[in-house]
mmCIF file of all heavy atoms in Angstrom:
data_model
loop_
_atom_site.group_PDB
_atom_site.id
_atom_site.type_symbol
_atom_site.label_atom_id
_atom_site.label_comp_id
_atom_site.label_asym_id
_atom_site.label_seq_id
_atom_site.Cartn_x
_atom_site.Cartn_y
_atom_site.Cartn_z
ATOM 1 N N ALA F 1 110.993 103.059 94.181
ATOM 2 C CA ALA F 1 110.185 102.243 95.095
ATOM 3 C C ALA F 1 110.672 102.408 96.539
ATOM 4 O O ALA F 1 109.859 102.537 97.466
ATOM 5 C CB ALA F 1 110.238 100.775 94.679
ATOM 6 N N CYS F 2 111.983 102.426 96.727
ATOM 7 C CA CYS F 2 112.541 102.580 98.077
ATOM 8 C C CYS F 2 112.277 103.981 98.640
ATOM 9 O O CYS F 2 112.049 104.130 99.839
ATOM 10 C CB CYS F 2 114.024 102.228 98.095
ATOM 11 S SG CYS F 2 114.307 100.448 97.842
ATOM 12 N N ASP F 3 112.284 105.004 97.785
ATOM 13 C CA ASP F 3 111.931 106.359 98.229
ATOM 14 C C ASP F 3 110.470 106.387 98.696
ATOM 15 O O ASP F 3 110.155 106.966 99.741
ATOM 16 C CB ASP F 3 112.123 107.393 97.112
ATOM 17 C CG ASP F 3 113.588 107.741 96.875
ATOM 18 O OD1 ASP F 3 114.451 107.308 97.670
ATOM 19 O OD2 ASP F 3 113.869 108.446 95.878
ATOM 20 N N PHE F 4 109.575 105.757 97.920
ATOM 21 C CA PHE F 4 108.167 105.684 98.350
ATOM 22 C C PHE F 4 108.057 104.887 99.645
ATOM 23 O O PHE F 4 107.318 105.264 100.549
ATOM 24 C CB PHE F 4 107.282 105.074 97.251
ATOM 25 C CG PHE F 4 106.782 106.067 96.241
ATOM 26 C CD1 PHE F 4 107.109 105.946 94.894
ATOM 27 C CD2 PHE F 4 105.960 107.128 96.618
ATOM 28 C CE1 PHE F 4 106.638 106.857 93.950
ATOM 29 C CE2 PHE F 4 105.490 108.051 95.689
ATOM 30 C CZ PHE F 4 105.820 107.916 94.352
ATOM 31 N N ARG F 5 108.802 103.797 99.750
ATOM 32 C CA ARG F 5 108.787 102.986 100.980
ATOM 33 C C ARG F 5 109.218 103.831 102.183
ATOM 34 O O ARG F 5 108.577 103.816 103.229
ATOM 35 C CB ARG F 5 109.739 101.788 100.822
ATOM 36 C CG ARG F 5 109.880 100.943 102.084
ATOM 37 C CD ARG F 5 111.136 100.091 102.065
ATOM 38 N NE ARG F 5 112.330 100.942 102.068
ATOM 39 C CZ ARG F 5 113.518 100.572 101.615
ATOM 40 N NH1 ARG F 5 113.697 99.371 101.096
ATOM 41 N NH2 ARG F 5 114.546 101.398 101.665
ATOM 42 N N ASP F 6 110.303 104.573 102.008
ATOM 43 C CA ASP F 6 110.844 105.361 103.117
ATOM 44 C C ASP F 6 109.920 106.503 103.530
ATOM 45 O O ASP F 6 110.022 106.997 104.653
ATOM 46 C CB ASP F 6 112.236 105.897 102.755
ATOM 47 C CG ASP F 6 113.254 104.765 102.561
ATOM 48 O OD1 ASP F 6 112.966 103.611 102.959
ATOM 49 O OD2 ASP F 6 114.327 105.036 101.992
ATOM 50 N N SER F 7 109.043 106.929 102.639
ATOM 51 C CA SER F 7 108.089 108.010 102.952
ATOM 52 C C SER F 7 106.672 107.479 103.152
ATOM 53 O O SER F 7 105.731 108.258 103.297
ATOM 54 C CB SER F 7 108.074 109.032 101.814
ATOM 55 O OG SER F 7 109.331 109.656 101.723
ATOM 56 N N TYR F 8 106.522 106.166 103.176
ATOM 57 C CA TYR F 8 105.195 105.560 103.209
ATOM 58 C C TYR F 8 104.381 105.982 104.437
ATOM 59 O O TYR F 8 103.193 106.261 104.326
ATOM 60 C CB TYR F 8 105.313 104.031 103.143
ATOM 61 C CG TYR F 8 103.989 103.339 102.985
ATOM 62 C CD1 TYR F 8 103.212 103.543 101.844
ATOM 63 C CD2 TYR F 8 103.502 102.477 103.956
ATOM 64 C CE1 TYR F 8 101.998 102.908 101.677
ATOM 65 C CE2 TYR F 8 102.295 101.839 103.791
ATOM 66 C CZ TYR F 8 101.543 102.057 102.655
ATOM 67 O OH TYR F 8 100.331 101.434 102.508
ATOM 68 N N SER F 9 105.018 106.076 105.592
ATOM 69 C CA SER F 9 104.255 106.458 106.798
ATOM 70 C C SER F 9 103.710 107.882 106.655
ATOM 71 O O SER F 9 102.588 108.158 107.078
ATOM 72 C CB SER F 9 105.105 106.316 108.070
ATOM 73 O OG SER F 9 106.221 107.159 108.002
ATOM 74 N N ARG F 10 104.479 108.774 106.020
ATOM 75 C CA ARG F 10 103.996 110.146 105.800
ATOM 76 C C ARG F 10 102.821 110.148 104.819
ATOM 77 O O ARG F 10 101.872 110.921 104.974
ATOM 78 C CB ARG F 10 105.129 111.030 105.263
ATOM 79 C CG ARG F 10 106.184 111.317 106.329
ATOM 80 C CD ARG F 10 107.472 111.896 105.778
ATOM 81 N NE ARG F 10 107.313 113.099 105.000
ATOM 82 C CZ ARG F 10 108.190 113.500 104.079
ATOM 83 N NH1 ARG F 10 109.265 112.782 103.820
ATOM 84 N NH2 ARG F 10 107.993 114.611 103.410
ATOM 85 N N ILE F 11 102.878 109.290 103.813
ATOM 86 C CA ILE F 11 101.799 109.192 102.827
ATOM 87 C C ILE F 11 100.546 108.627 103.490
ATOM 88 O O ILE F 11 99.449 109.156 103.342
ATOM 89 C CB ILE F 11 102.256 108.326 101.623
ATOM 90 C CG1 ILE F 11 103.359 109.059 100.851
ATOM 91 C CG2 ILE F 11 101.080 107.975 100.719
ATOM 92 C CD1 ILE F 11 104.103 108.210 99.832
ATOM 93 N N LYS F 12 100.719 107.557 104.265
ATOM 94 C CA LYS F 12 99.576 106.921 104.949
ATOM 95 C C LYS F 12 98.912 107.864 105.942
ATOM 96 O O LYS F 12 97.690 107.863 106.082
ATOM 97 C CB LYS F 12 100.031 105.650 105.662
ATOM 98 C CG LYS F 12 99.762 104.405 104.841
ATOM 99 C CD LYS F 12 99.997 103.165 105.642
ATOM 100 C CE LYS F 12 98.772 102.798 106.404
ATOM 101 N NZ LYS F 12 98.090 101.608 106.007
ATOM 102 N N ARG F 13 99.720 108.659 106.652
ATOM 103 C CA ARG F 13 99.161 109.607 107.637
ATOM 104 C C ARG F 13 98.209 110.591 106.978
ATOM 105 O O ARG F 13 97.315 111.129 107.618
ATOM 106 C CB ARG F 13 100.268 110.365 108.361
ATOM 107 C CG ARG F 13 100.783 109.637 109.585
ATOM 108 C CD ARG F 13 101.533 110.548 110.537
ATOM 109 N NE ARG F 13 102.657 111.239 109.925
ATOM 110 C CZ ARG F 13 103.888 110.755 109.837
ATOM 111 N NH1 ARG F 13 104.172 109.556 110.292
ATOM 112 N NH2 ARG F 13 104.853 111.474 109.286
ATOM 113 N N LYS F 14 98.408 110.835 105.689
ATOM 114 C CA LYS F 14 97.526 111.746 104.951
ATOM 115 C C LYS F 14 96.273 111.008 104.458
ATOM 116 O O LYS F 14 95.451 111.578 103.756
ATOM 117 C CB LYS F 14 98.268 112.362 103.759
ATOM 118 C CG LYS F 14 99.400 113.290 104.164
ATOM 119 C CD LYS F 14 100.149 113.784 102.931
ATOM 120 C CE LYS F 14 101.278 114.722 103.289
ATOM 121 N NZ LYS F 14 100.845 116.051 103.664
ATOM 122 N N GLY F 15 96.160 109.701 104.780
ATOM 123 C CA GLY F 15 95.019 108.914 104.362
ATOM 124 C C GLY F 15 95.046 108.560 102.888
ATOM 125 O O GLY F 15 94.009 108.334 102.263
ATOM 126 N N VAL F 16 96.237 108.499 102.327
ATOM 127 C CA VAL F 16 96.407 108.292 100.888
ATOM 128 C C VAL F 16 96.775 106.829 100.605
ATOM 129 O O VAL F 16 97.545 106.211 101.335
ATOM 130 C CB VAL F 16 97.516 109.230 100.342
ATOM 131 C CG1 VAL F 16 97.816 108.953 98.889
ATOM 132 C CG2 VAL F 16 97.109 110.683 100.552
ATOM 133 N N VAL F 17 96.218 106.293 99.515
ATOM 134 C CA VAL F 17 96.540 104.952 99.040
ATOM 135 C C VAL F 17 97.651 105.077 98.000
ATOM 136 O O VAL F 17 97.567 105.911 97.102
ATOM 137 C CB VAL F 17 95.296 104.297 98.389
ATOM 138 C CG1 VAL F 17 95.645 102.968 97.758
ATOM 139 C CG2 VAL F 17 94.178 104.154 99.405
ATOM 140 N N LEU F 18 98.694 104.270 98.135
ATOM 141 C CA LEU F 18 99.814 104.276 97.201
ATOM 142 C C LEU F 18 99.814 102.968 96.423
ATOM 143 O O LEU F 18 99.768 101.885 97.021
ATOM 144 C CB LEU F 18 101.138 104.426 97.967
ATOM 145 C CG LEU F 18 102.428 104.335 97.156
ATOM 146 C CD1 LEU F 18 102.516 105.452 96.122
ATOM 147 C CD2 LEU F 18 103.637 104.380 98.083
ATOM 148 N N LEU F 19 99.835 103.072 95.086
ATOM 149 C CA LEU F 19 99.856 101.894 94.224
ATOM 150 C C LEU F 19 100.946 102.041 93.169
ATOM 151 O O LEU F 19 101.027 103.070 92.497
ATOM 152 C CB LEU F 19 98.508 101.741 93.496
ATOM 153 C CG LEU F 19 97.249 101.632 94.355
ATOM 154 C CD1 LEU F 19 96.008 101.724 93.478
ATOM 155 C CD2 LEU F 19 97.257 100.326 95.145
ATOM 156 N N GLY F 20 101.774 101.019 93.012
ATOM 157 C CA GLY F 20 102.771 100.990 91.953
ATOM 158 C C GLY F 20 102.263 100.109 90.818
ATOM 159 O O GLY F 20 101.589 99.111 91.068
ATOM 160 N N VAL F 21 102.580 100.475 89.588
ATOM 161 C CA VAL F 21 102.136 99.714 88.419
ATOM 162 C C VAL F 21 103.303 99.543 87.445
ATOM 163 O O VAL F 21 103.985 100.517 87.118
ATOM 164 C CB VAL F 21 100.999 100.444 87.653
ATOM 165 C CG1 VAL F 21 100.506 99.592 86.485
ATOM 166 C CG2 VAL F 21 99.851 100.817 88.564
ATOM 167 N N SER F 22 103.520 98.300 86.998
ATOM 168 C CA SER F 22 104.467 98.033 85.920
ATOM 169 C C SER F 22 103.978 96.809 85.149
ATOM 170 O O SER F 22 103.102 96.091 85.618
ATOM 171 C CB SER F 22 105.889 97.809 86.461
ATOM 172 O OG SER F 22 106.091 96.447 86.780
ATOM 173 N N PRO F 23 104.561 96.567 83.977
ATOM 174 C CA PRO F 23 104.137 95.410 83.186
ATOM 175 C C PRO F 23 104.680 94.070 83.690
ATOM 176 O O PRO F 23 104.426 93.042 83.078
ATOM 177 C CB PRO F 23 104.693 95.694 81.782
ATOM 178 C CG PRO F 23 105.309 97.032 81.809
ATOM 179 C CD PRO F 23 105.462 97.444 83.231
ATOM 180 N N ASP F 24 105.409 94.078 84.804
ATOM 181 C CA ASP F 24 105.970 92.837 85.337
ATOM 182 C C ASP F 24 104.872 91.914 85.870
ATOM 183 O O ASP F 24 103.771 92.359 86.198
ATOM 184 C CB ASP F 24 106.958 93.145 86.468
ATOM 185 C CG ASP F 24 108.183 93.886 85.971
ATOM 186 O OD1 ASP F 24 108.904 93.327 85.131
ATOM 187 O OD2 ASP F 24 108.399 95.028 86.415
ATOM 188 N N SER F 25 105.207 90.634 86.002
ATOM 189 C CA SER F 25 104.265 89.619 86.480
ATOM 190 C C SER F 25 104.060 89.708 87.995
ATOM 191 O O SER F 25 104.839 90.362 88.702
ATOM 192 C CB SER F 25 104.802 88.228 86.141
ATOM 193 O OG SER F 25 105.970 87.968 86.918
ATOM 194 N N GLU F 26 103.025 89.006 88.461
ATOM 195 C CA GLU F 26 102.771 88.933 89.915
ATOM 196 C C GLU F 26 104.002 88.385 90.628
ATOM 197 O O GLU F 26 104.401 88.904 91.673
ATOM 198 C CB GLU F 26 101.571 88.021 90.202
ATOM 199 C CG GLU F 26 100.253 88.537 89.691
ATOM 200 C CD GLU F 26 99.162 87.468 89.755
ATOM 201 O OE1 GLU F 26 99.065 86.765 90.784
ATOM 202 O OE2 GLU F 26 98.416 87.335 88.778
ATOM 203 N N LYS F 27 104.597 87.322 90.075
ATOM 204 C CA LYS F 27 105.767 86.681 90.694
ATOM 205 C C LYS F 27 106.943 87.662 90.785
ATOM 206 O O LYS F 27 107.608 87.763 91.814
ATOM 207 C CB LYS F 27 106.162 85.445 89.872
ATOM 208 C CG LYS F 27 107.301 84.661 90.461
ATOM 209 C CD LYS F 27 106.834 83.836 91.635
ATOM 210 C CE LYS F 27 107.968 83.021 92.216
ATOM 211 N NZ LYS F 27 107.938 82.973 93.656
ATOM 212 N N SER F 28 107.183 88.414 89.714
ATOM 213 C CA SER F 28 108.252 89.410 89.724
ATOM 214 C C SER F 28 107.986 90.459 90.803
ATOM 215 O O SER F 28 108.887 90.840 91.565
ATOM 216 C CB SER F 28 108.357 90.069 88.349
ATOM 217 O OG SER F 28 109.323 91.098 88.364
ATOM 218 N N HIS F 29 106.730 90.912 90.892
ATOM 219 C CA HIS F 29 106.353 91.893 91.917
ATOM 220 C C HIS F 29 106.553 91.319 93.320
ATOM 221 O O HIS F 29 107.012 92.024 94.223
ATOM 222 C CB HIS F 29 104.894 92.320 91.754
ATOM 223 C CG HIS F 29 104.643 93.306 90.658
ATOM 224 N ND1 HIS F 29 105.627 94.081 90.076
ATOM 225 C CD2 HIS F 29 103.488 93.665 90.043
ATOM 226 C CE1 HIS F 29 105.094 94.867 89.155
ATOM 227 N NE2 HIS F 29 103.797 94.629 89.108
ATOM 228 N N GLN F 30 106.184 90.056 93.512
ATOM 229 C CA GLN F 30 106.360 89.416 94.825
ATOM 230 C C GLN F 30 107.820 89.466 95.244
ATOM 231 O O GLN F 30 108.142 89.855 96.370
ATOM 232 C CB GLN F 30 105.938 87.940 94.734
ATOM 233 C CG GLN F 30 104.658 87.615 95.403
ATOM 234 C CD GLN F 30 104.291 86.149 95.215
ATOM 235 O OE1 GLN F 30 105.034 85.345 94.655
ATOM 236 N NE2 GLN F 30 103.114 85.811 95.681
ATOM 237 N N ASN F 31 108.698 89.065 94.337
ATOM 238 C CA ASN F 31 110.137 89.062 94.640
ATOM 239 C C ASN F 31 110.654 90.468 94.923
ATOM 240 O O ASN F 31 111.433 90.671 95.854
ATOM 241 C CB ASN F 31 110.925 88.440 93.480
ATOM 242 C CG ASN F 31 110.604 86.970 93.294
ATOM 243 O OD1 ASN F 31 110.171 86.293 94.223
ATOM 244 N ND2 ASN F 31 110.800 86.463 92.091
ATOM 245 N N PHE F 32 110.221 91.440 94.104
ATOM 246 C CA PHE F 32 110.639 92.841 94.264
ATOM 247 C C PHE F 32 110.189 93.377 95.625
ATOM 248 O O PHE F 32 110.972 93.991 96.349
ATOM 249 C CB PHE F 32 110.034 93.651 93.109
ATOM 250 C CG PHE F 32 110.524 95.076 92.981
ATOM 251 C CD1 PHE F 32 111.858 95.407 93.058
ATOM 252 C CD2 PHE F 32 109.610 96.094 92.730
ATOM 253 C CE1 PHE F 32 112.299 96.722 92.903
ATOM 254 C CE2 PHE F 32 110.031 97.408 92.576
ATOM 255 C CZ PHE F 32 111.379 97.719 92.665
ATOM 256 N N LYS F 33 108.932 93.116 95.981
ATOM 257 C CA LYS F 33 108.393 93.583 97.271
ATOM 258 C C LYS F 33 109.153 92.978 98.442
ATOM 259 O O LYS F 33 109.494 93.682 99.392
ATOM 260 C CB LYS F 33 106.911 93.208 97.398
ATOM 261 C CG LYS F 33 105.985 94.292 96.939
ATOM 262 C CD LYS F 33 104.551 93.969 97.289
ATOM 263 C CE LYS F 33 104.296 94.247 98.741
ATOM 264 N NZ LYS F 33 102.944 94.608 99.066
ATOM 265 N N GLU F 34 109.390 91.674 98.366
ATOM 266 C CA GLU F 34 110.098 90.992 99.459
ATOM 267 C C GLU F 34 111.524 91.498 99.590
ATOM 268 O O GLU F 34 111.989 91.773 100.691
ATOM 269 C CB GLU F 34 110.124 89.481 99.210
ATOM 270 C CG GLU F 34 108.875 88.782 99.666
ATOM 271 C CD GLU F 34 108.889 87.286 99.345
ATOM 272 O OE1 GLU F 34 109.988 86.671 99.363
ATOM 273 O OE2 GLU F 34 107.812 86.761 99.063
ATOM 274 N N LYS F 35 112.206 91.607 98.466
ATOM 275 C CA LYS F 35 113.613 92.006 98.474
ATOM 276 C C LYS F 35 113.808 93.384 99.102
ATOM 277 O O LYS F 35 114.784 93.622 99.814
ATOM 278 C CB LYS F 35 114.137 91.998 97.033
ATOM 279 C CG LYS F 35 115.628 92.225 96.900
ATOM 280 C CD LYS F 35 116.041 92.038 95.450
ATOM 281 C CE LYS F 35 117.523 92.211 95.268
ATOM 282 N NZ LYS F 35 117.920 91.990 93.870
#
């Protein structure tokens, strides 16, 4: 996730949408994203 974060501007510049998927809950994802 941090590797994707660190390259996110390069991905966005290509006009690409990035989506992560796991079986974790919304709350778990919220905490992970914030952290």
Side-chain angles (χ1 to χ4, degrees):
C2 291
D3 284 352
F4 274 119
R5 175 200 64 204
D6 296 346
S7 295
Y8 188 63
S9 61
R10 289 166 56 204
I11 292 168
K12 263 190 86 112
R13 273 199 303 273
K14 293 176 179 285
V16 174
V17 174
L18 175 62
L19 303 170
V21 183
S22 88
D24 294 299
S25 68
E26 294 168 44
K27 183 76 179 140
S28 176
H29 282 342
Q30 253 178 5
N31 295 336
F32 189 46
K33 267 189 78 151
E34 276 177 33
K35 187 174 182 178

